[in-house]
Amino acid sequence: MRDRGLSAYRPLPGVPDELVKADGTLRPLWQPLIDHLQSLTDEGLTRATGRADQYLRDSGVFYRQYGSGQSVERPWPLSHIPVVIDEADWAELTPALIQRADLLEAVMADLYGDNRLVAEGHLPAALVAGNPEWLRPLVGVRPASGHFLHFVAFEIGRGPDGRWWVLADRTQAPSGAGYALENRVATSRAYTDVFAGQNIHRLAAFFREFRDALLGLRSARDGRVAIMTPGPLNETYFEQAWIARYMGVSLVQGEDLTVADGRLMVRTVSGLRPLDVLWRRLDGSYADPLELDPASRIGTPGMVAVLRQGGLTMVNSLGSGILETRALMAFLPKLSLHLTGTKLAMPNIATWWCGGRAEQAQVMAARARLVLSAALGTGLPFDRQGESTPAATLTPEELAQRLAQEGPDLVAQEAVTLSTTPALIDGRIVPRPMSLRVFLARTPTGWQVMQGGFARIGASTDPTALAMQRGGSAADVWIVSKDEVPAVTMVAAADAPDRRSVPGALPTRAADNLYWLGRYVERTEGIIRLLRARHIRLAEGGRAALPLQKQMDAVLKGYDVDGTAGLPPGLLDTLRAAVATAGQVRDRFSPDGWSALNDLDKTARRMAGNVTPGDDAARALSALLRKLAGFSGLVHENMYRFFGWRFLSIGRQLERSSSITGALAAFADAKSAAGGLDLCIELGDSVLTHRRRFSVASSRESVIELLALDPMNPRSLRHLFDGLNEQVQTLPGAATHGQLSPLGRAMLRCQVDIATATPDTLTTAALQDMRGKIAGISDLLTEAYLR
């Protein structure tokens, strides 16, 4: 056991506010967790937190950090101690948050409707008309569902005195709900016994109800629901892909969508399919370059027209970003009285819009505790460097001058003093400021509040260091009940209506990425096998092997790979292309498959600078080959046998066919260097099979028979073409009224050619011609399905 710094619970400086009551005694709610932490040795604590970190690494959880003109994937910064809140305290918060969500709905309905709030003087016109988040083309557009907001979040903070405030409203495209789920799983891995022994509310019920609500918004049972992502370079792309997979809906990008006949359509390998509900995770102005931001390359032209015609339910409605405006918080208390007749149950931080003389005077009088930031900015002003200025750092004259010159463009907010929560730093519990992001989802029965959330923990005692871009971390939120809580899952109840999503809508972009993933992975394997064979011969020595090595170098040069290096950059580039392509379809990959591919990439790059040509390189390449086989096995065993798996398989089979055909043409030719035939067998991973089938030494006839014509050898052209033809014939549109498509005819011709060939007829020229036909099949596939 070790004293974690809290063996005595006294009202001492440095004890977290959330942990102790006003009299300095430990809150009973925290007792089980603190007792558990106190009982752990240093090694035990390291193992516990290591389990959580290992889960996050294995799951590939990351966030994207921006800086110096670059973006880098960083490991998810988990704070290992959860925030623990009593169910009774949480129950007091939820009505206040629901009230605020309803108020924001009413404000947005007015701003995009009659606009009486401005006309009657309740809101300054400049805050609306001059706001880039007020999207004029959406004025007068009523949402098909009858509601503008369906999924919102509030950043809330508690002061040392225990009172809660709203720090920021998140209505544009709130992020963090998926990370809240991952925080929960990771933290429960760290404290399995404690978590199981307490009545902690589950998060699955929130997502299940929201998923069912989205499915209920479809215009017909065969309607489709999708999440729209800005793409893999977005800061929270992992979360978007994770939620899509968790909720069982498609993840689409702007290029996957098009407008036809007044409907928003998904481009799929089966043709255009209508989309009824779209949960967007990109800023509204980027959604439609035709009517909104013409510079957008991630939106879909015509989307606003579809909304105008009522052909799509958008979550949340375009233009909802205006509700996040900081200056709006200055007016919400009065707007609540005006629109609902009630006061805000949970106030937001004191805010003044500096466009009026009276407000400027108040700011001057209270300047010691205020922070200046952009009036039309969104979120917490200290989340981004350079967006806020403490008023106290300005002289009274400087502040007065700035207010006079920039007043309408500024907002003043009270500096935040947040309560502190326990954080584990270097094995000791220390206080750190925290804020909570709480999520609300609209369901048929009204707003549902997640029983938990996403806590942001400061990197230091400075409350402005909450943002992860500035070193902050994230923590799970435990809402603890006195009574047993139900173990809810995402599985629908037995008596629930059938609300299954329609299968088969594989977007063209996803099919394209899966196809090329298959090709890049197989190409990586082919390069590794050829490099390994070269380095084995180099290690064995002898001048007799030099001509064959030079011939191998020429083949490798065709892949832009330097055969003389240990682990050449060309190999790493091909592997990186596979990883990048897989990153485009994260929602269609198991976490194990993604982890295996990333582990392969990291291992190769770690080895690259430490491998010397010869035996050292051969052993390193063998290790990579085993890891690659692990990834291939996971994909083969785990992927659902639908169109996505078929395109991945077609990519692998076409690349392997091209590789084997090229190897036979190069090394089984009569003019090839000595040892070429044995090399072909080695590249085809068929050494043992050749020994069993042929009792004689390798000959061109035996090599062609085994690697080209044998239907039982998974590495042979015959086996590959049989499999390819089967895959192609199951694709949509492969045959119409009994007539094969151009792709189907080309594939069938190749299959017949190889089935009727003999070692004598399959000459080097015939092999080269066949390799050209394989490239033609790839072109036909692209033309038919991937454009």
Side-chain angles (χ1 to χ4, degrees):
M1 285 178 31
R2 176 182 171 181
D3 178 9
R4 303 289 170 201
L6 291 168
S7 56
Y9 304 112
R10 301 187 301 276
L12 298 172
V15 176
D17 305 319
E18 296 292 321
L19 195 61
V20 297
K21 295 187 288 188
D23 61 3
T25 59
L26 181 70
R27 298 181 190 275
L29 206 62
W30 284 87
Q31 190 76 56
L33 180 59
I34 295 301
D35 287 347
H36 177 71
L37 289 171
Q38 295 280 41
S39 71
L40 294 175
T41 63
D42 288 348
E43 293 76 13
L45 181 64
T46 299
R47 284 196 299 270
T49 57
R51 288 194 296 269
D53 295 338
Q54 186 63 49
Y55 166 77
L56 294 172
R57 285 194 298 270
D58 291 345
S59 300
V61 185
F62 71 91
Y63 77 103
R64 192 169 294 280
Q65 188 171 34
Y66 298 94
S68 303
Q70 296 180 333
S71 65
V72 181
E73 291 183 6
R74 297 296 187 192
W76 184 246
L78 178 70
S79 182
H80 294 99
I81 298 183
V83 173
V84 183
I85 300 176
D86 189 273
E87 180 186 50
D89 294 338
W90 194 255
E92 294 179 5
L93 297 180
T94 54
L97 298 177
I98 291 173
Q99 177 202 34
R100 191 176 186 90
D102 286 333
L103 172 61
L104 294 177
E105 171 77 24
V107 171
M108 187 165 178
D110 178 83
L111 294 180
Y112 288 96
D114 296 336
N115 218 337
R116 297 184 64 84
L117 294 177
V118 172
E120 295 174 0
H122 300 288
L123 277 176
L127 290 186
V128 178
N131 197 321
E133 295 297 340
W134 186 59
L135 306 182
R136 292 175 184 269
L138 275 302
V139 173
V141 177
R142 300 295 302 176
S145 66
H147 298 286
F148 290 91
L149 303 178
H150 292 268
F151 191 86
V152 300
F154 299 110
E155 202 85 40
I156 64 175
R158 176 149 59 180
D161 61 357
R163 291 185 299 172
W164 291 92
W165 298 292
V166 174
L167 306 176
D169 302 303
R170 307 286 184 177
T171 54
Q172 173 82 273
S175 63
Y179 288 125
L181 276 166
E182 291 288 33
N183 289 342
R184 170 58 55 85
V185 177
T187 306
S188 65
R189 296 281 179 92
Y191 311 117
T192 305
D193 294 339
V194 180
F195 185 86
Q198 291 192 278
N199 298 316
I200 301 170
H201 280 277
R202 282 16 180 199
L203 304 181
F206 175 82
F207 288 94
R208 190 177 77 178
E209 290 186 23
F210 186 48
R211 177 199 62 192
D212 291 346
L214 293 179
L215 294 175
L217 292 172
R218 297 175 297 175
S219 59
R221 184 188 174 280
D222 62 348
R224 287 169 172 79
V225 178
I227 297 175
M228 186 178 187
T229 173
L233 293 181
N234 184 256
E235 179 181 1
T236 58
Y237 175 73
F238 168 83
E239 182 206 22
Q240 296 155 19
W242 200 94
I243 289 182
R245 190 166 56 236
Y246 185 70
M247 296 180 64
V249 299
S250 297
L251 185 71
V252 299
Q253 296 183 28
E255 63 184 281
D256 296 329
L257 308 175
T258 188
V259 173
D261 300 324
R263 299 287 301 277
L264 189 65
M265 302 283 189
V266 185
R267 292 187 176 96
T268 78
V269 296
S270 304
L272 298 180
R273 294 292 183 267
L275 190 65
D276 283 350
V277 183
L278 189 64
W279 181 6
R280 67 176 174 89
R281 292 296 301 270
L282 75 168
D283 289 353
S285 59
Y286 295 140
D288 185 349
L290 192 63
E291 295 199 51
L292 301 174
D293 186 348
S296 172
R297 295 294 180 269
I298 57 176
T300 303
M303 188 178 289
V304 170
V306 175
L307 292 170
R308 196 175 285 123
Q309 297 173 40
L312 174 72
T313 294
M314 182 74 81
V315 178
N316 289 323
S317 294
L318 296 181
S320 57
I322 192 173
L323 300 176
E324 297 185 357
T325 305
R326 290 188 198 120
L328 185 62
M329 298 181 77
F331 300 92
L332 284 179
K334 291 184 178 179
L335 289 179
S336 180
L337 288 171
H338 173 70
L339 293 173
T340 69
T342 59
K343 291 183 178 181
L344 285 176
M346 183 186 298
N348 45 244
I349 52 174
T351 305
W352 290 267
W353 174 60
C354 301
R357 291 186 176 180
E359 290 81 2
Q360 291 177 5
Q362 291 175 320
V363 170
M364 290 293 298
R367 71 184 187 89
R369 55 189 177 89
L370 300 183
V371 174
L372 296 178
S373 61
L376 301 183
T378 60
L380 298 173
F382 47 74
D383 272 356
R384 302 179 183 88
Q385 291 279 18
E387 282 206 7
S388 62
T389 303
T393 62
L394 304 174
T395 66
E397 294 76 14
E398 290 173 335
L399 178 59
Q401 183 179 13
R402 187 169 180 186
L403 292 175
Q405 294 176 347
E406 308 173 37
D409 299 326
L410 294 174
V411 66
Q413 293 182 297
E414 192 168 14
V416 180
T417 302
L418 296 172
S419 68
T420 56
T421 193
L424 195 60
I425 308 295
D426 297 328
R428 292 180 64 82
I429 295 175
V430 297
R432 288 290 183 264
M434 68 98 180
S435 69
L436 296 184
R437 186 172 298 182
V438 187
F439 301 91
L440 286 75
R442 188 184 295 279
T443 70
T445 59
W447 289 106
Q448 297 296 318
V449 181
M450 181 188 288
Q451 294 277 44
F454 174 85
R456 298 202 301 171
I457 310 299
S460 65
T461 56
D462 180 5
T464 68
L466 289 173
M468 282 181 290
Q469 297 288 342
R470 300 182 62 183
S473 56
D476 189 17
V477 179
W478 290 3
I479 309 301
V480 182
S481 173
K482 294 180 180 178
D483 304 315
E484 185 176 353
V485 296
V488 183
T489 69
M490 288 294 287
V491 178
D495 57 350
D498 184 7
R499 290 183 171 180
R500 290 172 294 179
S501 297
V502 178
L506 177 67
T508 300
R509 176 191 54 82
D512 185 51
N513 281 291
L514 287 167
Y515 169 72
W516 279 103
L517 173 61
R519 295 208 65 162
Y520 284 133
V521 167
E522 188 62 35
R523 189 173 301 175
T524 300
E525 180 178 339
I527 292 171
I528 289 176
R529 288 187 180 278
L530 192 52
L531 281 169
R532 184 178 65 167
R534 187 194 187 284
H535 286 290
I536 287 174
R537 284 154 179 80
L538 179 64
E540 291 172 350
R543 299 185 60 85
L546 287 177
L548 184 59
Q549 290 178 30
K550 291 180 179 179
Q551 195 175 358
M552 283 190 273
D553 290 345
V555 173
L556 286 165
K557 189 175 181 181
Y559 292 107
D560 198 23
V561 173
D562 177 11
T564 64
L567 264 64
L571 169 63
L572 301 180
D573 291 343
T574 304
L575 183 53
R576 172 49 60 183
V579 174
T581 307
Q584 296 278 347
V585 283
R586 284 291 299 272
D587 59 311
R588 298 178 183 274
F589 254 88
S590 72
D592 288 337
W594 174 255
S595 178
L597 189 58
N598 265 286
D599 180 54
L600 173 66
D601 180 57
K602 291 175 182 176
T603 301
R605 293 179 188 282
R606 187 171 60 249
M607 288 179 171
N610 304 306
V611 172
T612 57
D615 182 66
D616 188 33
R619 286 188 285 107
L621 290 162
S622 293
L624 293 181
L625 201 58
R626 289 191 293 271
K627 284 182 175 288
L628 188 59
F631 167 76
S632 300
L634 280 169
V635 170
H636 181 77
E637 293 296 328
N638 294 347
M639 277 193 76
Y640 186 67
R641 297 307 198 255
F642 206 55
F643 291 139
W645 175 80
R646 295 193 185 283
F647 278 97
L648 179 67
S649 299
I650 289 172
R652 293 204 66 180
Q653 290 169 325
L654 273 177
E655 186 66 33
R656 181 174 291 184
S657 300
S658 179
S659 176
I660 290 294
T661 307
L664 290 173
F667 302 115
D669 184 69
K671 298 179 181 179
S672 174
L677 294 175
D678 289 335
L679 175 62
C680 286
I681 299 171
E682 186 178 340
L683 295 177
D685 198 20
S686 301
V687 174
L688 294 178
T689 306
H690 187 276
R691 289 174 184 169
R692 284 196 301 267
R693 282 209 56 197
F694 304 98
S695 58
V696 297
S698 60
S699 65
R700 187 180 190 278
E701 288 72 19
S702 68
V703 170
I704 294 295
E705 182 69 37
L706 182 61
L707 295 180
L709 306 180
D710 190 341
M712 302 298 289
N713 182 6
R715 295 273 175 177
S716 77
L717 293 177
R718 172 69 186 277
H719 183 91
L720 291 167
F721 283 179
D722 288 348
L724 275 168
N725 190 54
E726 180 183 353
Q727 297 282 20
V728 166
Q729 299 309 326
T730 58
L731 294 179
T736 305
H737 304 301
Q739 296 294 319
L740 291 176
S741 66
L743 172 62
R745 289 195 296 272
M747 190 64 251
L748 183 59
R749 278 194 293 267
C750 280
Q751 185 186 27
V752 171
D753 287 346
I754 201 67
T756 57
T758 66
D760 292 334
T761 61
L762 204 57
T763 63
T764 297
L767 287 166
Q768 291 170 340
D769 180 64
M770 186 163 288
R771 199 177 193 200
K773 290 179 179 178
I774 293 171
I777 289 172
S778 179
D779 292 340
L780 289 171
L781 181 81
T782 300
E783 184 67 31
Y785 298 104
L786 307 181
R787 291 184 180 227

